[in-house]
Amino acid sequence: YQRRVHGSEERYAAARACKWVAAVVEDAPYVTEMADLQKYEIDYVAHGDDISVDLNGDDSYAAVRKAGMMKTVKRTEGISTTDLVGRMLLMSKTHHHRDREEDVDEEIVDRTTSESFSAPSGSCKATASLSKFLTTSRRIVQFASATAPKPTDTIVYVDGDFDLFHPGHSNFLREAKRHGTYLIVGVHSDSVVNQKKGANYPIMNLNERVLSVLSCRYTDECIIGVPFEISQNVLETMNVHAVCAGAHSTRKDYEVDPYEVPKRMGIFIEVDSKSDLTTEKMVRRVIQNRLDYEERNRKKDIKDAELQKNAFTTAEL
């Protein structure tokens, strides 16, 4: 089935928001051409250690390798688009970090639903059953900013789950930072997100979501595992001058207002990310793609059966 989760413009936006990206070439060909490398004055081409081939099964980077411009990097184990899609379809919760041993519950939230979305060869089930991604202190340092807030900085604080980090999130962080000079992002724990959203949310566990936030060019600092309600202690400890929340935040639907304290302090600001993309919309896209795939296969099976029946009838005559 179609695995693409983001449209072209969303993928361009996601790449631009990554702090290691200097420029984005839109509508780039799948097979890298030497002419394009010369046009953009590229010195080297980097790719993961997985094999990339074109429609003919040939190496997509054959010309680049021949020119001695290819750099191969080891891919991070335990996290990939395929793995995340598997978690969405199977409704698995085994990737969550448990606060307590007794928090471990059933592996599948809705077994009936998950079985109906199982992969043809079981590939998604194998990858989604357990997250093998391990976060080390060295990896966090690689992602984290080394810049501490200066006394003259205006510190802005935002928080959220930031699950399946997407352009809607990065747009929000960009707009929030415009209200100051130093942006601190609080990321909710897996248990907090699951308590509020249910099902198998979050799709990405806390460590994965923290690294996603740290990879965004607008993030200066990240607080790991913050509570749902913003406390005065956090705001005073971090010397926060403004607290921002999205104009379309779903937390308005809860009985307890998580922004009660910053509102009382007069430092609450509502910002518009100018994007209606949400984690839930992304999940629905994947599920709809799966349903479309199954419907195409169902129709194909019916057509094949009719052709076989007609062929058998003709042979008898």
Side-chain angles (χ1 to χ4, degrees):
Y1 59 97
Q2 183 181 358
R3 289 178 180 268
R4 193 177 71 178
V5 178
H6 288 301
S8 297
E9 293 301 323
E10 292 170 349
R11 288 182 288 119
Y12 299 152
R16 289 192 182 94
C18 179
K19 65 183 180 182
W20 294 292
V21 174
V24 175
V25 177
E26 298 185 2
D27 199 26
Y30 187 80
V31 177
T32 304
E33 303 288 345
M34 294 302 297
D36 290 329
L37 301 185
Q38 295 169 1
K39 176 182 178 181
Y40 295 105
E41 301 180 340
I42 303 298
D43 296 312
Y44 294 102
V45 175
H47 193 273
D49 55 7
D50 55 322
I51 299 175
S52 174
V53 297
D54 59 20
L55 294 176
N56 298 318
D58 298 324
D59 183 358
S60 302
Y61 298 98
V64 180
R65 296 184 198 279
K66 186 177 180 180
M69 299 173 63
M70 192 70 198
K71 298 290 184 180
T72 302
V73 296
K74 183 176 177 56
R75 294 199 62 167
T76 304
E77 295 184 3
I79 183 69
S80 66
T81 303
T82 301
D83 179 71
L84 295 178
V85 167
R87 296 182 196 178
M88 293 183 226
L89 295 179
L90 290 178
M91 304 300 285
S92 168
K93 293 174 66 176
T94 56
H95 56 282
H96 289 184
H97 288 177
R98 309 295 176 177
D99 295 333
R100 304 183 308 276
E101 191 67 29
E102 57 267 28
D103 284 341
V104 179
D105 51 13
E106 66 276 10
E107 177 180 336
I108 302 296
V109 178
D110 184 340
R111 189 167 297 277
T112 303
T113 302
S114 68
E115 288 176 355
S116 68
F117 291 132
S118 59
S121 61
S123 58
C124 280
K125 187 170 185 177
T127 56
S129 61
L130 179 64
S131 174
K132 299 183 289 295
F133 177 74
L134 299 176
T135 305
T136 63
S137 58
R138 182 171 57 87
R139 180 161 287 161
I140 291 179
V141 170
Q142 290 175 336
F143 277 68
S145 169
T147 305
K150 301 185 294 293
T152 55
D153 274 323
T154 299
I155 299 176
V156 179
Y157 177 78
V158 301
D159 69 342
D161 56 320
F162 299 102
D163 197 12
L164 298 176
F165 196 82
H166 54 72
H169 291 137
S170 58
N171 286 357
F172 165 63
L173 297 184
R174 179 193 63 209
E175 296 304 313
K177 192 167 185 176
R178 287 177 175 172
H179 292 277
T181 57
Y182 193 93
L183 180 64
I184 299 177
V185 183
V187 182
H188 297 146
S189 68
D190 294 344
S191 59
V192 166
V193 178
N194 189 251
Q195 181 182 8
K196 297 301 179 183
K197 290 192 171 182
N200 67 326
Y201 289 104
I203 305 300
M204 300 175 73
N205 64 44
L206 177 60
N207 288 347
E208 294 164 347
R209 290 182 286 116
V210 166
L211 293 183
S212 296
V213 169
L214 288 174
S215 71
C216 181
R217 64 175 66 252
Y218 309 113
T219 303
D220 294 298
E221 180 64 287
C222 186
I223 304 179
I224 304 173
V226 297
F228 183 72
E229 299 174 42
I230 299 176
S231 68
Q232 187 167 342
N233 178 59
V234 168
L235 300 180
E236 292 177 348
T237 300
M238 305 306 294
N239 193 29
V240 174
H241 298 87
V243 175
C244 292
H248 307 291
S249 174
T250 58
R251 282 186 282 174
K252 295 177 180 179
D253 301 330
Y254 299 117
E255 294 182 4
V256 177
D257 183 0
Y259 302 109
E260 180 182 351
V261 171
K263 286 179 179 178
R264 188 172 67 245
M265 296 172 64
I267 60 173
F268 178 78
I269 301 174
E270 194 173 81
V271 299
D272 187 358
S273 68
K274 300 178 176 61
S275 171
D276 61 354
L277 183 61
T278 65
T279 301
E280 290 73 21
K281 281 189 177 182
M282 291 176 60
V283 172
R284 287 197 294 269
R285 287 179 185 178
V286 171
I287 292 178
Q288 187 59 53
N289 280 344
R290 181 63 183 182
L291 292 173
D292 292 343
Y293 166 82
E294 292 183 341
E295 180 62 16
R296 287 196 301 271
N297 277 1
R298 186 187 68 81
K299 291 180 178 178
K300 182 178 181 298
D301 290 343
I302 293 175
K303 186 175 182 179
D304 289 346
E306 290 176 349
L307 290 174
Q308 290 179 3
K309 181 180 179 181
N310 293 337
F312 181 76
T313 302
T314 302
E316 285 186 331
L317 294 176

